[in-house]
Amino acid sequence: MILPVDFYRRPTLDVARDLIGKVVVYKAKQGTTAGAIVEAEAYIGEDDPACHAAVGRTERNAPLYGPPGRAYVYLNYGLHSMLNAVTEDEHHPAAVLIRALEPIDGLALMRRRRSRAPWRKGKPPVPDHELCRGPGNLCLAMGITLADNLRPLTRGPLTIHDRGITHDDEIVWDGRIGIRVGTDKMWRATVKAHPSVSGRKPKG
DNA sequence: CGTTCGATGCACT
DNA sequence: GTGCATCGAACGT
């Protein structure tokens, strides 16, 4: 079942928590890829210094001020697309950054796309659990680009589904990573000890 | 184990 | 011109 718009029209922390275990599906010409969300971060409002809306409304962050249930995709570091799901409503700019997936469908296609990256030339293929590990990697593996910005997540090539996957008590809240400000907010939800979660792996 | 740094595009100032 | 919600290699310990 595709998640309805009302799923996204809620407090962003609730949406982030509930997105864990949901399945991102992308139907491209080359084939379909899909993966279950295992890591997501909330970016909430103009008072959150790490949220793109912190600088007020601009052309780039306009999707945050639009209706919920749409994709907010932007380019970072000149190389990596970032996939967000817009949440709340027109008066509350906020979104959830999808940071990692557990690959489910189309692994071969994901592997092919990952191998295409310049820095991967001549390297061994990416292990399955790393195919969608990290926000840039998952967009590359899924074929998500700036062309997907503002697309509804309720229909079209890019959708998010409830396939009945639950992680129950395995969800852990941490500080958000990869940002310089707002790291004090515990707004990063992950599946505990999942191999596809990005960031440094815990000591063992 | 840890930290540093280059690749690379574009919105923002 | 500056600085990123990154990735991964190349170093140093």
Side-chain angles (χ1 to χ4, degrees), chain A residues 41 43 48-51 77 97 99 175-185:
Chain A
E41 287 179 349
Y43 289 86
D48 172 5
C51 182
Y77 293 102
L97 170 68
R99 285 193 59 92
R176 296 172 295 181
I177 63 176
I179 53 177
R180 319 282 289 231
V181 293
T183 52
D184 53 312
K185 300 185 191 307

Side-chain angles (χ1 to χ4, degrees), chain A residues 81-112:
Chain A
S81 296
M82 301 280 125
L83 171 64
N84 298 252
V86 176
T87 61
E88 306 203 22
D89 60 49
E90 287 81 348
H91 300 104
H92 298 93
V96 173
L97 170 68
I98 312 298
R99 285 193 59 92
L101 309 175
E102 173 186 318
I104 294 177
D105 294 326
L107 297 242
L109 179 52
M110 290 181 182
R111 204 150 38 232
R112 213 177 314 143

Side-chain angles (χ1 to χ4, degrees), chain A residues 28-48:
Chain A
K29 281 186 179 177
Q30 314 146 279
T32 297
T33 48
I37 299 171
V38 296
E39 179 182 3
E41 287 179 349
Y43 289 86
I44 310 175
E46 298 182 341
D47 293 333
D48 172 5

Side-chain angles (χ1 to χ4, degrees), chain A residues 1-12 14-15 18-19 67-70 86-90 153-154:
Chain A
M1 168 201 119
I2 292 180
L3 297 175
V5 166
D6 282 347
F7 174 92
Y8 302 95
R9 196 193 308 280
R10 295 185 296 148
T12 302
D14 292 344
V15 177
D18 293 342
L19 276 175
R70 287 174 176 263
V86 176
T87 61
E88 306 203 22
D89 60 49
E90 287 81 348
L153 298 170
T154 48

Side-chain angles (χ1 to χ4, degrees), chain A residues 14-15 18 23 38 51 55 74 78 84 89 98 100 110 118 135 137 140-141 153 160 165 170 174-175 190 193-194 203:
Chain A
D14 292 344
V15 177
D18 293 342
V23 177
V38 296
C51 182
V55 296
Y74 69 95
N84 298 252
D89 60 49
I98 312 298
M110 290 181 182
N137 286 333
L140 179 56
L153 298 170
I160 304 183
I165 301 173
E170 299 178 302
D174 286 311
T190 63
H194 195 285
K203 286 184 179 180

Side-chain angles (χ1 to χ4, degrees), chain A residues 124-135:
Chain A
V126 180
D128 287 353
H129 72 278
E130 290 183 10
L131 284 170
C132 299
R133 183 174 187 264

